[in-house]
Amino acid sequence: MKTRITILCENLVGRLVGSGEHGFSAFIETDKGNYLFDTGSGHSIVANSLTLSKDLKSIRKIFLSHGHYDHTGGLPEVIKMSGKVDVHGHPHIFLDRIHVIKENEKETERFIGIPFKKKYLEFLGANFILNTDFMEVGKGIFLTGEVPRKTSFEKPDPKLFSEIDGKTTQDLFLDDQSLILDTDKGMVLILGCAHSGMINIIHHVMKRTGKEKFFAILGGTHLDFLTPEQLEELIKSLKKIEIEKIGVSHCTGMKAAFRLQQEFGDQFFYGCVGSVLEV
Ligand SMILES: [Fe+2]
Ligand SMILES: [Fe+2]
Protein backbone atom coordinates (compact mmCIF):
# COMPACT_ATOMS: atom_id res chain seq x y z
CA MET A 1 0.00 0.00 0.00
CA LYS A 2 1.46 3.36 -1.08
CA THR A 3 0.94 5.88 1.68
CA ARG A 4 1.57 9.55 2.37
CA ILE A 5 0.91 11.03 5.81
CA THR A 6 0.85 14.80 6.31
CA ILE A 7 0.61 16.45 9.72
CA LEU A 8 -2.31 18.90 9.46
CA CYS A 9 -2.57 20.09 13.07
CA GLU A 10 0.22 20.22 15.58
CA ASN A 11 1.68 22.50 18.22
CA LEU A 12 4.62 23.62 16.06
CA VAL A 13 4.92 24.95 12.54
CA GLY A 14 8.18 24.18 10.81
CA ARG A 15 7.75 26.03 7.52
CA LEU A 16 5.38 28.65 6.16
CA VAL A 17 2.56 26.18 5.85
CA GLY A 18 -0.15 27.12 8.30
CA SER A 19 -0.82 27.65 11.97
CA GLY A 20 0.14 25.76 15.09
CA GLU A 21 -2.30 24.93 17.88
CA HIS A 22 -2.44 22.61 20.87
CA GLY A 23 -3.79 19.61 19.00
CA PHE A 24 -3.04 16.83 16.57
CA SER A 25 -4.36 15.67 13.22
CA ALA A 26 -2.83 13.66 10.38
CA PHE A 27 -4.12 13.42 6.79
CA ILE A 28 -3.53 9.98 5.31
CA GLU A 29 -3.42 9.38 1.55
CA THR A 30 -3.39 5.78 0.31
CA ASP A 31 -4.07 4.19 -3.07
CA LYS A 32 -7.39 3.04 -1.56
CA GLY A 33 -8.49 6.56 -0.54
CA ASN A 34 -7.90 9.30 2.00
CA TYR A 35 -8.46 9.20 5.76
CA LEU A 36 -8.16 11.57 8.70
CA PHE A 37 -6.66 10.62 12.06
CA ASP A 38 -7.88 13.10 14.72
CA THR A 39 -9.08 16.61 13.97
CA GLY A 40 -7.03 18.96 16.15
CA SER A 41 -8.81 21.42 18.44
CA GLY A 42 -10.70 23.11 15.60
CA HIS A 43 -8.60 26.26 15.24
CA SER A 44 -6.38 25.34 12.31
CA ILE A 45 -7.62 22.24 10.49
CA VAL A 46 -9.58 23.90 7.70
CA ALA A 47 -7.03 26.65 7.02
CA ASN A 48 -4.09 24.23 7.19
CA SER A 49 -5.83 21.73 4.89
CA LEU A 50 -6.26 24.50 2.29
CA THR A 51 -2.65 25.68 2.63
CA LEU A 52 -1.36 22.12 2.36
CA SER A 53 -3.81 21.22 -0.48
CA LYS A 54 -5.38 18.34 1.45
CA ASP A 55 -9.01 18.05 0.45
CA LEU A 56 -11.17 17.35 3.52
CA LYS A 57 -14.07 16.57 1.16
CA SER A 58 -12.15 13.51 0.00
CA ILE A 59 -11.86 11.71 3.34
CA ARG A 60 -13.51 8.30 3.56
CA LYS A 61 -13.27 7.87 7.32
CA ILE A 62 -12.22 9.73 10.46
CA PHE A 63 -10.36 7.88 13.23
CA LEU A 64 -10.35 9.37 16.74
CA SER A 65 -7.47 8.48 19.05
CA HIS A 66 -9.38 9.53 22.22
CA GLY A 67 -11.91 12.04 23.48
CA HIS A 68 -9.70 15.02 24.38
CA TYR A 69 -10.76 18.37 22.85
CA ASP A 70 -7.41 18.79 21.10
CA HIS A 71 -8.11 15.70 18.97
CA THR A 72 -11.88 16.05 18.53
CA GLY A 73 -12.47 19.82 18.47
CA GLY A 74 -12.25 20.05 14.68
CA LEU A 75 -14.98 17.44 14.08
CA PRO A 76 -17.85 19.82 13.15
CA GLU A 77 -15.74 21.78 10.65
CA VAL A 78 -14.39 18.60 9.07
CA ILE A 79 -17.80 16.91 8.84
CA LYS A 80 -19.34 20.06 7.34
CA MET A 81 -16.80 19.64 4.53
CA SER A 82 -16.77 15.85 4.17
CA GLY A 83 -20.53 15.35 4.44
CA LYS A 84 -21.75 12.00 5.78
CA VAL A 85 -18.73 10.15 7.09
CA ASP A 86 -17.83 7.17 9.30
CA VAL A 87 -16.18 8.26 12.55
CA HIS A 88 -14.35 5.50 14.40
CA GLY A 89 -13.58 5.70 18.11
CA HIS A 90 -13.97 3.98 21.48
CA PRO A 91 -17.28 4.48 23.37
CA HIS A 92 -15.42 6.46 26.07
CA ILE A 93 -14.59 9.30 23.66
CA PHE A 94 -17.78 10.94 24.96
CA LEU A 95 -16.74 10.95 28.64
CA ASP A 96 -16.32 14.24 30.50
CA ARG A 97 -12.61 14.93 30.95
CA ILE A 98 -10.85 17.20 33.43
CA HIS A 99 -7.32 18.56 33.67
CA VAL A 100 -6.23 19.80 37.08
CA ILE A 101 -3.65 22.55 36.76
CA LYS A 102 -1.71 23.97 39.70
CA GLU A 103 -1.00 27.66 39.21
CA ASN A 104 0.33 29.99 41.92
CA GLU A 105 -0.44 27.42 44.64
CA LYS A 106 -4.04 27.24 43.39
CA GLU A 107 -5.63 24.23 41.71
CA THR A 108 -7.79 24.96 38.68
CA GLU A 109 -9.98 22.44 36.88
CA ARG A 110 -10.27 22.71 33.12
CA PHE A 111 -12.77 20.78 31.00
CA ILE A 112 -10.81 19.03 28.25
CA GLY A 113 -13.32 16.48 26.93
CA ILE A 114 -14.97 16.34 23.53
CA PRO A 115 -16.69 19.73 23.19
CA PHE A 116 -19.75 18.48 21.26
CA LYS A 117 -22.71 16.17 21.89
CA LYS A 118 -22.86 12.94 19.91
CA LYS A 119 -26.33 13.91 18.62
CA TYR A 120 -25.05 17.20 17.19
CA LEU A 121 -22.18 15.49 15.38
CA GLU A 122 -24.62 12.88 14.01
CA PHE A 123 -26.90 15.69 12.85
CA LEU A 124 -23.96 17.12 10.90
CA GLY A 125 -23.29 13.74 9.25
CA ALA A 126 -21.12 11.63 11.59
CA ASN A 127 -21.82 7.92 11.55
CA PHE A 128 -20.13 6.71 14.75
CA ILE A 129 -18.62 3.23 14.68
CA LEU A 130 -17.50 2.45 18.22
CA ASN A 131 -15.03 -0.31 19.05
CA THR A 132 -13.27 -1.55 22.16
CA ASP A 133 -11.25 -4.34 20.55
CA PHE A 134 -8.58 -4.44 17.80
CA MET A 135 -10.38 -3.81 14.53
CA GLU A 136 -9.66 -3.77 10.80
CA VAL A 137 -11.10 -0.48 9.53
CA GLY A 138 -9.95 -0.67 5.92
CA LYS A 139 -7.71 -2.87 3.80
CA GLY A 140 -4.41 -3.03 5.72
CA ILE A 141 -5.62 -0.40 8.22
CA PHE A 142 -6.30 -1.28 11.86
CA LEU A 143 -7.30 0.42 15.12
CA THR A 144 -5.63 -0.96 18.25
CA GLY A 145 -8.73 -1.09 20.48
CA GLU A 146 -8.04 -0.99 24.23
CA VAL A 147 -4.37 -1.42 25.06
CA PRO A 148 -3.38 -3.59 28.06
CA ARG A 149 -1.16 -1.71 30.54
CA LYS A 150 1.88 -3.86 31.20
CA THR A 151 5.04 -1.79 31.61
CA SER A 152 6.01 -0.54 35.07
CA PHE A 153 7.37 2.80 33.83
CA GLU A 154 4.30 4.01 31.89
CA LYS A 155 1.75 5.36 34.33
CA PRO A 156 -1.43 7.41 33.77
CA ASP A 157 -0.88 11.17 33.94
CA PRO A 158 -1.85 12.09 37.56
CA LYS A 159 -3.29 15.47 36.48
CA LEU A 160 -5.91 13.97 34.14
CA PHE A 161 -9.35 12.81 35.31
CA SER A 162 -12.55 11.48 33.76
CA GLU A 163 -16.10 11.28 34.98
CA ILE A 164 -17.89 7.94 34.79
CA ASP A 165 -21.46 7.61 36.19
CA GLY A 166 -21.08 10.87 38.10
CA LYS A 167 -17.80 9.79 39.73
CA THR A 168 -14.55 11.62 39.00
CA THR A 169 -11.55 9.29 38.97
CA GLN A 170 -8.04 9.16 37.56
CA ASP A 171 -8.44 8.93 33.79
CA LEU A 172 -7.57 5.41 32.68
CA PHE A 173 -7.95 6.26 28.98
CA LEU A 174 -9.53 3.03 27.83
CA ASP A 175 -10.42 5.02 24.71
CA ASP A 176 -6.78 5.62 23.76
CA GLN A 177 -6.38 4.01 20.34
CA SER A 178 -3.69 4.22 17.70
CA LEU A 179 -3.85 3.51 13.99
CA ILE A 180 -1.78 0.91 12.15
CA LEU A 181 -1.09 1.09 8.41
CA ASP A 182 0.37 -2.09 7.01
CA THR A 183 2.83 -1.12 4.26
CA ASP A 184 5.42 -3.01 2.19
CA LYS A 185 8.21 -1.40 4.25
CA GLY A 186 6.69 -2.34 7.61
CA MET A 187 3.95 -1.01 9.84
CA VAL A 188 3.29 2.69 10.31
CA LEU A 189 1.89 3.40 13.76
CA ILE A 190 0.13 6.73 14.33
CA LEU A 191 -0.39 7.78 17.95
CA GLY A 192 -2.79 10.45 19.22
CA CYS A 193 -1.43 11.13 22.72
CA ALA A 194 -0.34 7.56 23.59
CA HIS A 195 -2.05 7.85 26.97
CA SER A 196 -1.87 4.07 27.35
CA GLY A 197 1.93 4.22 27.03
CA MET A 198 3.99 4.16 23.85
CA ILE A 199 5.66 0.83 24.71
CA ASN A 200 2.39 -0.77 25.82
CA ILE A 201 0.89 0.26 22.47
CA ILE A 202 3.84 -1.07 20.44
CA HIS A 203 3.78 -4.44 22.25
CA HIS A 204 0.00 -4.70 21.79
CA VAL A 205 0.33 -3.96 18.06
CA MET A 206 3.05 -6.60 17.66
CA LYS A 207 0.91 -9.15 19.49
CA ARG A 208 -2.28 -8.43 17.56
CA THR A 209 -0.72 -8.19 14.09
CA GLY A 210 1.93 -10.90 14.56
CA LYS A 211 4.38 -8.48 12.91
CA GLU A 212 7.49 -6.95 14.44
CA LYS A 213 8.79 -4.39 11.98
CA PHE A 214 7.75 -0.75 12.16
CA PHE A 215 8.65 1.52 9.27
CA ALA A 216 7.59 4.51 11.33
CA ILE A 217 6.00 5.55 14.58
CA LEU A 218 4.63 9.06 14.70
CA GLY A 219 2.33 11.30 16.68
CA GLY A 220 1.89 12.47 20.26
CA THR A 221 3.68 10.43 22.91
CA HIS A 222 2.83 12.32 26.14
CA LEU A 223 6.21 11.77 27.75
CA ASP A 224 6.57 15.09 29.53
CA PHE A 225 5.38 13.95 32.95
CA LEU A 226 7.64 10.86 33.15
CA THR A 227 10.56 10.99 35.57
CA PRO A 228 14.04 10.91 33.93
CA GLU A 229 14.35 7.28 35.12
CA GLN A 230 11.03 6.32 33.53
CA LEU A 231 12.06 8.00 30.28
CA GLU A 232 15.34 6.06 30.22
CA GLU A 233 13.42 2.79 30.77
CA LEU A 234 11.18 3.72 27.85
CA ILE A 235 14.15 4.46 25.59
CA LYS A 236 15.74 1.11 26.54
CA SER A 237 12.53 -0.70 25.51
CA LEU A 238 12.20 1.34 22.33
CA LYS A 239 15.73 0.41 21.26
CA LYS A 240 14.82 -3.27 21.35
CA ILE A 241 12.14 -2.75 18.69
CA GLU A 242 12.78 -2.68 14.95
CA ILE A 243 11.80 0.88 13.97
CA GLU A 244 13.17 2.82 11.02
CA LYS A 245 11.79 6.28 11.80
CA ILE A 246 10.44 7.95 14.93
CA GLY A 247 8.54 11.19 14.40
CA VAL A 248 7.14 12.69 17.58
CA SER A 249 4.65 15.54 17.82
CA HIS A 250 2.18 17.43 19.98
CA CYS A 251 2.20 16.30 23.65
CA THR A 252 5.63 14.64 23.55
CA GLY A 253 7.32 17.50 25.42
CA MET A 254 10.56 19.15 24.39
CA LYS A 255 12.76 17.45 26.99
CA ALA A 256 11.66 13.99 25.87
CA ALA A 257 11.88 14.95 22.17
CA PHE A 258 15.49 16.16 22.61
CA ARG A 259 16.37 12.97 24.47
CA LEU A 260 14.87 10.79 21.71
CA GLN A 261 16.74 12.81 19.08
CA GLN A 262 20.02 12.18 20.95
CA GLU A 263 19.35 8.44 21.01
CA PHE A 264 17.90 7.93 17.55
CA GLY A 265 19.88 10.48 15.51
CA ASP A 266 18.84 10.52 11.85
CA GLN A 267 16.03 8.06 12.50
CA PHE A 268 14.34 10.78 14.56
CA PHE A 269 12.26 13.69 13.23
CA TYR A 270 9.88 16.18 14.80
CA GLY A 271 6.49 15.98 13.09
CA CYS A 272 5.30 19.58 12.90
CA VAL A 273 2.54 21.11 10.75
CA GLY A 274 3.29 20.25 7.13
CA SER A 275 5.70 17.37 7.87
CA VAL A 276 5.22 14.53 5.39
CA LEU A 277 6.03 10.85 5.74
CA GLU A 278 6.01 8.90 2.50
CA VAL A 279 6.07 5.13 2.39
FE1 LIG B 1 -3.43 15.67 22.95
FE1 LIG C 1 -4.82 13.55 25.18
Side-chain angles (χ1 to χ4, degrees):
M1 182 166 66
K2 249 190 146 188
T3 307
R4 187 193 292 122
I5 300 156
T6 307
I7 308 292
L8 273 192
C9 302
E10 212 286 301
N11 302 34
L12 299 179
V13 185
R15 298 178 280 131
L16 281 171
V17 288
S19 309
E21 62 165 46
H22 180 73
F24 186 72
S25 174
F27 191 88
I28 303 160
E29 294 164 89
T30 77
D31 37 24
K32 303 271 186 298
N34 300 337
Y35 303 91
L36 191 68
F37 179 81
D38 285 345
T39 66
S41 65
H43 296 288
S44 67
I45 191 152
V46 174
N48 287 359
S49 72
L50 293 171
T51 317
L52 291 160
S53 301
K54 302 298 164 196
D55 187 2
L56 292 174
K57 290 188 200 79
S58 72
I59 54 172
R60 301 178 58 181
K61 281 170 185 282
I62 300 170
F63 307 114
L64 297 176
S65 64
H66 62 304
H68 276 163
Y69 77 100
D70 51 325
H71 300 254
T72 57
L75 275 170
E77 297 316 312
V78 172
I79 301 167
K80 280 178 205 165
M81 296 195 73
S82 68
K84 249 191 163 334
V85 65
D86 288 347
V87 183
H88 288 262
H90 184 282
H92 281 190
I93 55 171
F94 297 105
L95 291 184
D96 285 340
R97 261 47 206 251
I98 294 148
H99 186 188
V100 176
I101 310 163
K102 215 172 181 184
E103 271 172 341
N104 307 325
E105 303 295 306
K106 220 179 106 196
E107 279 196 348
T108 316
E109 287 189 3
R110 261 188 65 206
F111 177 83
I112 56 166
I114 185 167
F116 311 101
K117 294 268 186 224
K118 186 172 178 229
K119 276 251 173 326
Y120 170 62
L121 297 167
E122 285 171 338
F123 164 78
L124 293 177
N127 174 42
F128 283 100
I129 301 171
L130 304 176
N131 70 299
T132 56
D133 203 0
F134 186 84
M135 181 181 175
E136 183 161 22
V137 287
K139 190 139 180 38
I141 307 176
F142 306 86
L143 274 173
T144 55
E146 293 176 12
V147 174
R149 303 334 197 236
K150 298 226 166 136
T151 60
S152 57
F153 49 86
E154 294 175 302
K155 299 265 183 252
D157 187 329
K159 298 183 299 303
L160 302 177
F161 298 86
S162 62
E163 202 177 298
I164 304 179
D165 302 328
K167 269 197 191 147
T168 304
T169 51
Q170 170 97 70
D171 201 332
L172 298 176
F173 288 107
L174 295 184
D175 57 334
D176 180 57
Q177 300 203 68
S178 307
L179 191 76
I180 304 144
L181 305 166
D182 196 12
T183 79
D184 299 339
K185 293 186 183 168
M187 293 184 282
V188 174
L189 178 62
I190 311 178
L191 312 164
C193 276
H195 287 296
S196 36
M198 190 183 187
I199 301 298
N200 285 329
I201 296 168
I202 292 171
H203 288 165
H204 174 67
V205 168
M206 287 161 71
K207 190 168 174 215
R208 294 308 302 256
T209 60
K211 298 186 179 194
E212 300 199 329
K213 187 178 175 212
F214 291 87
F215 175 67
I217 295 178
L218 60 150
T221 59
H222 207 81
L223 299 177
D224 223 14
F225 76 101
L226 295 189
T227 63
E229 294 75 27
Q230 286 170 324
L231 184 60
E232 293 312 308
E233 283 292 312
L234 181 132
I235 289 170
K236 243 195 259 165
S237 302
L238 208 49
K239 289 207 130 181
K240 290 185 192 147
I241 297 156
E242 200 182 343
I243 310 170
E244 251 175 72
K245 291 171 191 287
I246 298 179
V248 300
S249 294
H250 180 47
C251 55
T252 295
M254 280 304 160
K255 263 195 247 162
F258 289 144
R259 189 67 197 95
L260 289 170
Q261 201 281 330
Q262 276 179 334
E263 282 298 325
F264 291 92
D266 288 345
Q267 287 173 276
F268 175 91
F269 65 97
Y270 193 92
C272 43
V273 176
S275 290
V276 177
L277 178 86
E278 280 189 332
V279 192

